[in-house]
């Protein structure tokens, strides 16, 4: 992996590089604004309805938007040998969110003893792997265009995941405490985006130094959307 990354930096012509780090978290509507105090909210009908816990949201992705560096990123050169994996186990896709660079191939092994059918209706990459068990060599998908790809199983209702196809290799998934780090970024001014599947994304401008680190924190929430 280290050799591949060094080759990647060489292909980009990176002589100097800096790092981007920070935190990303979610913020929900205040309870008072949502009208959660008493009344019908405490009734038997709604009392046990599961609510979103914004403090426990996971799978935040932070990434640079567009081409990075002096030369545009060429996916076929950088990631033609890379294969990622989304596993099917316990009738669940893992990981639930997989960010990757355009041109990357993903395999979909089914470790359950029952059949699954991996498919997507997305405009970015529609596909159907049909019913199968195990890890047949023909059950691979190459994601060649940037965008969001929602993936499902045609048999099991709650099986779903997201492949987030990006334009460059400068991205990170935040850890359980919301911390992220994007390393070895060519110096320059970029747009840095924080993404979550159920919240509006947020973009900030970031200036990456020739060496050292720049810190950028994000708070994502339901705000700024049009009201009807």
């Amino acid at each position: 992996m280290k050799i591949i990354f060094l080759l990647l930096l060489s292909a980009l012509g990176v002589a100097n590089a800096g790092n981007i780090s920070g935190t990303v978290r979610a913020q929900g509507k205040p309870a008072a604004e949502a009208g959660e105090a008493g009344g019908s909210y405490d009734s038997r009908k709604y009392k046990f309805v599961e609510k979103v816990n914004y403090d426990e949201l996971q799978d935040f992705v932070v990434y640079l938007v567009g081409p990075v560096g002096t030369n545009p990123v060429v996916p076929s050169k950088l990631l033609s040998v890379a294969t990622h994996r989304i596993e099917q186990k316990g009738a669940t896709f893992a990981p639930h969110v997989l960010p990757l660079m355009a041109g990357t191939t993903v395999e979909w092994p089914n470790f359950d003893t029952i059949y699954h059918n991996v498919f997507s209706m997305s405009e970015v990459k529609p596909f159907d792997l049909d019913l199968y068990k195990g890890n047949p060599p023909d059950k691979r998908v190459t994601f060649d265009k940037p965008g969001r790809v929602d993936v499902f199983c045609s048999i099991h209702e709650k099986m779903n995941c997201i492949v987030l196809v990006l334009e460059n290799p400068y991205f990170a998934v935040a850890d359980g405490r919301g911390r992220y780090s994007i390393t070895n970024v060519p110096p320059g001014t970029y747009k840095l985006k924080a993404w979550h599947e159920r919240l509006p994304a947020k973009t900030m401008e970031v200036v990456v130094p020739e060496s050292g680190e720049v810190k950028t924190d994000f708070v994502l929430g339901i705000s700024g959307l049009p009201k009807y």
Side-chain angles (χ1 to χ4, degrees):
M1 180 62 79
K2 183 176 181 181
I3 294 175
I4 293 175
F5 189 71
L6 291 175
L7 290 174
L8 183 151
L9 293 179
S10 176
L12 288 173
V14 178
N16 300 301
N19 301 326
I20 307 171
S21 66
T23 61
V24 55
R25 64 180 180 87
Q27 180 175 283
K29 298 273 189 182
E33 184 178 342
E36 292 185 355
S40 297
Y41 287 92
D42 290 335
S43 68
R44 181 182 296 272
K45 183 177 181 180
Y46 298 112
K47 185 175 183 179
F48 299 105
V49 174
E50 188 174 356
K51 300 175 184 177
V52 177
N53 186 334
Y54 286 88
D55 292 332
E56 294 183 356
L57 289 183
Q58 301 288 318
D59 297 316
F60 294 95
V61 181
V62 183
Y63 61 94
L64 294 185
V65 178
V68 174
T70 305
N71 302 313
V73 172
V74 182
S76 60
K77 282 186 179 181
L78 300 181
L79 291 177
S80 59
V81 298
T83 300
H84 289 233
R85 167 180 285 195
I86 294 182
E87 298 180 351
Q88 303 164 75
K89 192 171 184 179
T92 302
F93 288 117
H96 175 65
V97 173
L98 177 65
L100 48 78
M101 186 176 166
T104 304
T105 297
V106 176
E107 62 180 15
W108 305 80
N110 176 5
F111 294 121
D112 286 332
T113 56
I114 57 176
Y115 286 99
H116 293 306
N117 173 201
V118 183
F119 78 98
S120 176
M121 302 175 291
S122 68
E123 293 184 7
V124 173
K125 189 68 177 183
F127 65 90
D128 182 359
L129 298 186
D130 212 343
L131 294 167
Y132 68 96
K133 297 179 183 178
N135 191 18
D138 61 328
K139 306 304 180 183
R140 309 285 189 275
V141 180
T142 298
F143 295 88
D144 44 14
K145 293 192 300 184
R148 170 176 171 163
V149 181
D150 289 277
V151 182
F152 305 91
C153 172
S154 65
I155 303 174
H156 304 104
E157 180 181 2
K158 294 185 178 181
M159 282 187 69
N160 66 88
C161 66
I162 299 169
V163 178
L164 191 63
V165 189
L166 303 172
E167 298 174 89
N168 63 69
Y170 299 103
F171 57 82
V173 178
D175 66 15
R177 298 175 63 182
R179 300 172 300 186
Y180 73 91
S181 179
I182 305 174
T183 60
N184 293 295
V185 181
T189 301
Y190 304 104
K191 291 182 178 179
L192 182 67
K193 179 175 284 190
W195 174 94
H196 190 274
E197 62 180 293
R198 63 172 297 128
L199 296 168
K202 182 175 288 187
T203 303
M204 299 175 67
E205 185 176 277
V206 60
V207 179
V208 178
E210 291 188 355
S211 62
E213 190 169 61
V214 57
K215 292 188 176 295
T216 306
D217 298 331
F218 290 92
V219 178
L220 303 185
I222 305 299
S223 61
L225 296 176
K227 297 184 180 295
Y228 292 94

